[in-house]
Amino acid sequence: MSAIFGVFSWSAAIAEDKAFYSANGYVHIRNVFNSSEAALLSRWVEEIGAWPQSNESKWMHHYEHTVHGARLTRTENIVSYLPQLGRWLMAGKLPSLVGQLLGDDVFLYKEKINYKYPGGAGYAAHQDAPAYKQLSRHLTALVAVERATVANGCLEFAAGRHREGLIGLTEDGILSQEAEASLDFTPCEMEPGDVAVFSSYIPHRSRPNHSGERRALLYLTYNAQREGYLRDEYYRHKRAALKSGQLSLIKHFQGVALSSPEVPDQQPITARVEVTVAGEASALANGQAHAAPTAAPNVLDELRAMFATYGKTMYDSVVTQEEHALQTAALAERAGASDMLVTASLLHDVGHLLLDEHMGNDGFLDHDKQHELAGAAYLAGRFPDEVAGPVRLHVPAKRYLCQARPGYWEALSPASKRSLEVQGGVLSSEEADEFIRRPHAAAAAELRVFDDLGKARAAPTPTLEHFLSGAVMRVLTGRADKNVA
């Protein structure tokens, strides 16, 4: 292998590597960077992660909310502010390697670091090409700065499917549920210094980080030089196109994205959910609507950790967050509700846990941070929309019931009456008629009734584990009845 800033010298296995890439749409090449080089990359990533937020059109930090609090999830537009790294990425062995696979000289088009701290969210199955509409010839080099494993959310590729163009593309720019279910994904576990080069048309995804270690990766996209140097144009366009807190031009991120690490001051703007609470049309979340059976234990562990961390905080002056969740789920179960609705009832306020909202926070009920959207975005990456949909609508369902059901408002707790006002108040009759016609609105109204009743002092309920190993597990493993109201 040549010097760092020279041309990449292929090993004797070049023909085999090229053949593998051609057949599969990606190739994993080990030890492209030696241990000293990998250590230097690691130091640079640490330095970049410590940079302050920039409001001067420089680097771009993005954050997400995890069960451990706000964490840096991505930094991009970095090479101009760390020239040593820029030389590696723009004129070193990487563009030479990518150019030989592409069959053309290349320019760096975009660069980013995805950190994926413990508890960090995954990315729904997608192809990169929809985000690069001005290009026709482009590849991405993935550099492992830290170990990437199944446990901490390595990339998974649908080998060989890059030849089919765009597959099952939704309005959000990701693969449809049906398209994802038809693909076989192979994990690409990597060690520091490894590089994986992949086509912008190969379907890929990554799981949440369920381990205790971070998984930092460099993503470097290159385009054929004949198409021009377009990196500056890309970042100008992206800055203009992105909403605050959004990570990408396609909506594949499965977590709660934040534009700042200061979680309490953020309205939870997610990459995959946009809902109005005033009776206007909502865009339903897309992406992985059903967690794979092998992922079920990880999802359950994630929920256990979340309730262990935040569940003992007070929902109101009478019940804790966990007590309220258990009472709501128990009421649904006793009423004969489906596993989908029991699960939605248990997790309807998971957004409060994600945002660390509770009575110990000043102004918990004075400001509407739209916990239902944060919760629904989190659930949509792990559960069917028969679970996420009612959760998404359970706040406007209270406003609906105040209009549609005589005596409903009078029976609300003082806390619910107070929160109703900051959530927009009672719907008009016309808004109520429009609301109940939405998908999952009837189930949301049913959930809402359980929610309002689930605030009794010391009410006996089954344990959290009863629901996790019962209804929730059946939903995660595809054994639940989907027929909900």
Side-chain angles (χ1 to χ4, degrees):
M1 192 175 293
S2 66
I4 288 174
F5 303 119
V7 174
F8 181 79
S9 298
W10 288 92
S11 69
I14 176 57
E16 181 180 344
D17 289 338
K18 283 189 172 183
F20 188 94
Y21 172 80
S22 179
N24 294 279
Y26 79 100
V27 60
H28 177 190
I29 306 173
R30 301 186 188 278
N31 301 315
V32 172
F33 295 101
N34 62 36
S35 59
S36 297
E37 295 166 346
L40 185 54
L41 282 171
S42 179
R43 289 198 295 273
W44 283 338
V45 166
E46 290 301 319
E47 177 182 340
I48 292 166
W51 287 350
Q53 285 183 273
S54 172
N55 297 317
E56 303 174 0
S57 300
K58 294 182 178 179
W59 54 85
M60 301 164 69
H61 279 327
H62 304 276
Y63 303 85
E64 65 175 311
H65 195 76
T66 76
V67 294
H68 306 291
R71 292 289 185 271
L72 183 64
T73 190
R74 174 180 293 181
T75 304
E76 55 187 322
N77 191 29
I78 54 181
V79 298
S80 298
Y81 310 102
L82 190 57
Q84 308 98 303
L85 179 61
R87 287 193 291 273
W88 280 40
L89 306 186
M90 302 180 82
K93 65 177 69 172
L94 277 175
S96 177
L97 185 161
V98 172
Q100 291 188 60
L101 278 177
L102 187 64
D104 213 333
D105 291 335
V106 296
F107 285 132
L108 181 66
Y109 179 63
K110 55 173 285 193
E111 76 282 352
K112 65 189 179 189
I113 303 165
N114 277 6
Y115 300 92
K116 196 174 281 192
Y117 279 87
Y123 290 78
H126 65 284
Q127 297 162 285
D128 288 343
Y132 313 145
K133 295 180 180 178
Q134 65 269 57
L135 296 175
S136 60
R137 291 176 57 75
H138 40 85
L139 294 179
T140 294
L142 179 67
V143 181
V145 180
E146 296 164 342
R147 293 183 70 241
T149 67
V150 170
N152 66 23
C154 66
L155 252 66
E156 302 175 10
F157 295 108
R161 306 303 291 268
H162 61 298
R163 300 178 183 276
E164 301 173 31
L166 299 179
I167 301 173
L169 190 67
T170 70
E171 291 182 358
D172 285 339
I174 62 179
L175 269 67
S176 68
Q177 301 165 23
E178 296 78 13
E180 181 177 6
S182 71
L183 302 175
D184 292 322
F185 286 88
T186 301
C188 183
E189 295 190 307
M190 303 173 69
E191 295 293 329
D194 289 359
V195 173
V197 182
F198 60 94
S199 164
S200 295
Y201 285 91
I202 187 171
H204 57 286
R205 68 186 183 191
S206 69
R207 303 291 192 181
N209 184 351
H210 295 296
S211 77
E213 63 180 20
R214 191 180 71 173
R215 184 231 65 179
L217 301 173
L218 267 168
Y219 289 74
L220 313 162
T221 300
Y222 296 87
N223 67 275
Q225 286 189 9
R226 68 180 70 179
E227 297 193 64
Y229 180 76
L230 300 170
R231 181 178 169 277
D232 295 342
E233 179 183 337
Y234 169 81
Y235 281 113
R236 281 195 299 270
H237 170 69
K238 183 166 187 178
R239 288 181 187 279
L242 284 189
K243 297 179 180 179
S244 176
Q246 193 171 317
L247 263 69
S248 178
L249 299 175
I250 60 174
K251 298 180 180 181
H252 57 337
F253 181 60
Q254 294 182 313
V256 177
L258 304 167
S259 58
S260 163
E262 301 300 324
V263 177
D265 296 331
Q266 297 299 311
Q267 176 176 318
I269 304 170
T270 72
R272 301 195 306 120
V273 181
E274 291 184 38
V275 181
T276 63
V277 293
E280 298 178 0
S282 65
L284 299 179
N286 286 296
Q288 183 188 2
H290 195 276
T294 54
N298 292 331
V299 174
L300 295 180
D301 286 345
E302 196 172 83
L303 293 172
R304 291 184 186 103
M306 196 180 304
F307 276 101
T309 303
Y310 301 105
K312 299 302 187 288
T313 61
M314 297 304 296
Y315 174 84
D316 61 15
S317 61
V318 175
V319 295
T320 66
Q321 303 269 18
E322 183 172 330
E323 288 171 338
H324 175 52
L326 294 178
Q327 289 187 33
T328 305
L331 288 163
E333 188 175 69
R334 287 199 291 267
S338 71
D339 286 335
M340 297 288 187
L341 190 53
V342 171
T343 298
S345 297
L346 178 73
L347 303 177
H348 73 283
D349 276 345
V350 72
H352 285 321
L353 306 185
L354 288 165
L355 298 171
D356 195 22
E357 291 185 299
H358 53 81
M359 280 199 71
N361 291 338
D362 292 338
F364 170 38
L365 297 174
D366 295 334
H367 305 286
D368 181 17
K369 295 186 174 70
Q370 296 181 305
H371 73 282
E372 72 279 12
L373 302 191
Y378 169 84
L379 295 172
R382 295 156 177 82
F383 292 91
D385 209 49
E386 288 88 349
V387 172
V391 171
R392 187 185 304 114
L393 296 177
H394 82 276
V395 169
K398 177 170 70 172
R399 302 176 63 204
Y400 161 79
L401 289 167
C402 286
Q403 170 62 234
R405 184 171 298 183
Y408 178 85
W409 183 89
E410 289 79 4
L412 289 176
S413 68
S416 283
K417 288 178 180 177
R418 181 180 173 190
S419 61
L420 174 67
E421 296 309 310
V422 300
Q423 290 160 351
V426 179
L427 295 179
S428 69
S429 59
E430 292 81 7
E431 289 171 332
D433 288 343
E434 181 180 352
F435 170 80
I436 201 60
R437 290 194 294 269
R438 298 184 190 180
H440 309 297
E446 190 174 357
L447 186 162
R448 185 73 226 186
V449 173
F450 304 141
D451 179 7
D452 292 324
L453 295 173
K455 301 170 185 177
R457 188 183 303 275
T461 66
T463 64
L464 176 64
E465 198 58 37
H466 165 84
F467 294 109
L468 293 181
S469 61
V472 178
M473 175 62 87
R474 289 191 292 273
V475 170
L476 287 170
T477 55
R479 296 182 288 115
D481 178 8
K482 290 190 177 183
N483 294 322
V484 296

